[in-house]
Amino acid sequence: MSRPRLGFNVDHIATVRQARLALWPDPVGIAAIAEVAGAEQITLHLREDRRHVQERDYALLRETKKGLLNLEMAATPAMLELVLKQPPDMVTLVPERRQELTTEGGLDVVAHQEALAKAVQMLRERDIVVSLFVDPRPEQLEASLKIGAQRVELHTGCYCNETHSQRRLKEQQRIHEAARHALQLGLGCAAGHGLDYANVAPIAAMVEVDELNIGHSIVARALYVGIERAIKDMLQCMLRPSDKP
């Protein structure tokens, strides 16, 4: 069965918990249910301000996850120190601003090559796979390769937020061209940000994209149907055309 692997992002489970500084819902327990339902990867963003995911969540997920663990983080000294001591399977370096509700765009790898190269080298020396969250632009992909990243995650926010059909198609094509370019460069290619049950199919159909990271839409649907059904429904939406019944 052909589709990208699903990286289920548990950030918004932690957001609900932190709204009351309570014990529940527990992103670690929800991650286990998601894996049983078919998610091959758990993704989480440990932010500097700890607004949702906590270090406790990360530590427990390292011990309990069955598939891959993908930690999104800013390339700060404190975060690098933490992950070098407690490495995940993969790190995705992302930009981070305290005032944003969620990550608003890709890393500017071109402008920050020197600092990012040092972070990438440190992580790779610990045998951590390194991905960079970037806008679907060729210069960002080429800079990512230059500094040693093994993968990129293409920011799909502009595609997801566009309501005009022709402009959305143009954004879709831009993502596909970037995915092709990443493959030509020898970079693994993921995509994510804003993907939901209505818009995921065209991105999942891109054979160059081997991973989709999705959180908010799955958590929102789970309020109606439960996490297991929400995961399975997303996996069905991610099937490539040749594999749909």
Side-chain angles (χ1 to χ4, degrees):
M1 192 170 290
S2 175
R3 60 167 175 80
R5 73 172 172 267
L6 172 60
F8 172 50
N9 190 312
V10 299
D11 292 357
H12 293 289
I13 300 295
T15 295
V16 176
R17 177 192 61 192
Q18 295 306 112
R20 292 292 297 269
L21 298 178
L23 297 176
W24 310 103
D26 184 359
V28 179
I30 297 296
I33 298 171
E35 288 187 309
V36 170
E40 299 94 341
Q41 176 174 296
I42 300 301
T43 296
L44 67 163
H45 185 173
L46 187 57
R47 283 180 172 266
E48 183 182 10
D49 62 10
R50 305 297 195 265
R51 71 176 67 169
H52 39 59
V53 170
Q54 305 298 304
E55 289 181 40
R56 167 263 186 201
D57 305 324
Y58 174 58
L60 286 176
L61 281 167
R62 286 184 70 247
E63 298 299 322
T64 59
K65 55 90 178 177
K66 302 301 182 185
L68 298 174
L69 186 63
N70 172 29
L71 178 66
E72 298 178 344
M73 55 172 262
T76 63
M79 284 304 306
L80 287 167
E81 181 180 2
L82 186 151
V83 299
L84 292 173
K85 291 178 180 177
Q86 303 178 60
D89 298 300
M90 177 164 60
V91 160
T92 300
L93 296 178
V94 300
E96 188 175 304
R97 295 191 302 121
R98 290 203 176 201
Q99 62 269 40
E100 68 189 1
L101 288 176
T102 185
T103 305
E104 294 174 346
L107 280 170
D108 190 346
V109 186
V110 174
H112 301 102
Q113 285 189 51
E114 184 176 352
L116 288 170
K118 291 178 181 177
V120 170
Q121 181 181 359
M122 293 170 68
L123 292 166
R124 290 198 60 178
E125 286 175 352
R126 289 286 277 125
D127 294 322
I128 301 169
V129 175
V130 182
S131 179
L132 303 183
F133 183 68
V134 297
D135 292 325
R137 302 177 64 88
E139 64 271 20
Q140 297 296 339
L141 304 178
E142 290 156 12
S144 298
L145 179 69
K146 182 178 179 181
I147 67 170
Q150 296 132 299
R151 300 180 54 80
V152 291
E153 180 176 345
L154 301 177
H155 178 237
T156 54
C158 293
Y159 159 77
C160 294
N161 294 333
E162 184 54 70
T163 57
H164 187 277
S165 60
Q166 289 302 312
R167 289 195 293 267
R168 173 174 279 202
L169 180 59
K170 187 175 180 180
E171 290 296 335
Q172 178 185 323
Q173 292 168 340
R174 189 161 73 101
I175 293 166
H176 203 177
E177 288 169 5
R180 290 194 189 104
H181 190 45
L183 193 65
Q184 290 167 355
L185 292 172
L187 292 166
C189 186
H193 194 83
L195 294 172
D196 61 29
Y197 296 84
N199 63 31
V200 72
I203 307 301
M206 299 175 186
V207 296
E208 300 85 358
V209 175
D210 63 16
E211 170 193 319
L212 297 180
N213 288 297
I214 306 173
H216 182 266
S217 63
I218 293 175
V219 174
R221 184 169 180 79
L223 295 176
Y224 297 92
V225 302
I227 194 67
E228 182 177 0
R229 183 76 261 160
I231 292 286
K232 289 181 176 179
D233 288 348
M234 180 57 75
L235 292 172
Q236 187 66 30
C237 291
M238 288 168 55
L239 286 176
R240 290 175 174 142
S242 60
D243 289 300
K244 289 186 178 179

